[in-house]
Amino acid sequence: MGALRDFVADLLDSEGAVIEPVEPDGLDVLAPDQVRAAMGWPELARLGFGAQLPAGAMPIALEGDWLDRFGALVGERGRFAERQLVLPAPVAPPADPERRLNGVLDLRNAIWRLRDVRPMVTRCLLLVFRYTATSDERREGLIWLGFNTGTGTFLEDDMVDRLRHVLANNMEWQAPDLDARAQAGPISDASILAERTRARLDHLVRRDLEPFLRAMRRRLDRDCGRVYEYHADLRRSALTTRSSLRYATGEKAEADRKRESMRVATIEREYAAKLDDLRHNYALRVKVDWVQGLVLFAHVHRYEILIRRRKGERIVAIDWHPAIRMMEPPLCDWGLGLERARLVCDDHLHLTDLAGQAPCPSCGKAWCRACQGSACPRCKRMTPPRQKSNLPVKEHA
Ligand SMILES: [Zn+2]
Ligand SMILES: [Zn+2]
């Protein structure tokens, strides 16, 4: 539980408390008024974080409402920060940039040429979102997104993981200097960024939730099966009784037949109601909230690539990140860009997923979705969703 103790010690220290470690795994805290009020502590509190508590200590753990109380103390602070990534020693750029670029660039209908390379500072956004999925059970998770505003590309998941690792380990926090800000330039179009962030976030949340949803569907199938078996048995026995009365005559037989028919109807109604209950119980709600954002000013080697398609030319930038020794993928003007392959459009040389230039399933016309949107310009039919998914619809906060 060392991490929790360190967090609490840092937080209380920043709130003006006087803290003193006590063994085993505890803290003595002399807290100012506002901390005492927020946490409900006496002036001198002894906190214990381990399985073994120091004498007279209050146990603090991830369970209970402690995290909520610490969260209230932190408030909105730390939601957004700017930081410069400064490497302890310079890292030489790749000796074979063309080969490295070949590894990330797969243009199916265009050629490219490396035009220029220069070291510079770029601005990356690292955003954290929390999702909460609730059905009969509950699942929470964090999603990290990385976006390079200098090149307009999303960083792959393992690039984001590695950057976080670098930042978390032995690196002094440094505020961005004026020179870095000037080199990183203005932030790119916020509305495009918001739209693309939404699409990518959607994909990542669905991907994260897939095992949870699979397990949920198994439980739902099992429960539906049980409800069916139970009611099918009841119904069968009511039907058998009714058919045994088929040839009987007289008032009593008539009343018995009526009773059994009503029983069958009741069982069928109950079955439908039980299925409705299950549907309600297993209905999925997903909520996604933005938690934290870091603007990271990072040194990169920027490769300027000239792309040629028919008579058109376009220059795009691809950065190599020395901190993690990785080349980022090329931007993607339409689609999630999860695959390496890109198609280039004739009119504006947009780089898109293969689906971004695909022919219309109805009339066969091919068009660029980045230029003309998702509806076919000839027959107006909409392109089906980009990702194959039959998961339930979710909501964003
Ligand atoms: Zn286009
Ligand atoms: Zn069409």
Side-chain angles (χ1 to χ4, degrees), residues 359-365 367 375-381:
C360 170
S362 287
C363 73
K365 176 168 175 61
W367 80 99
C376 169
R378 189 191 282 159
C379 74
K380 310 296 176 215
R381 205 189 121 145

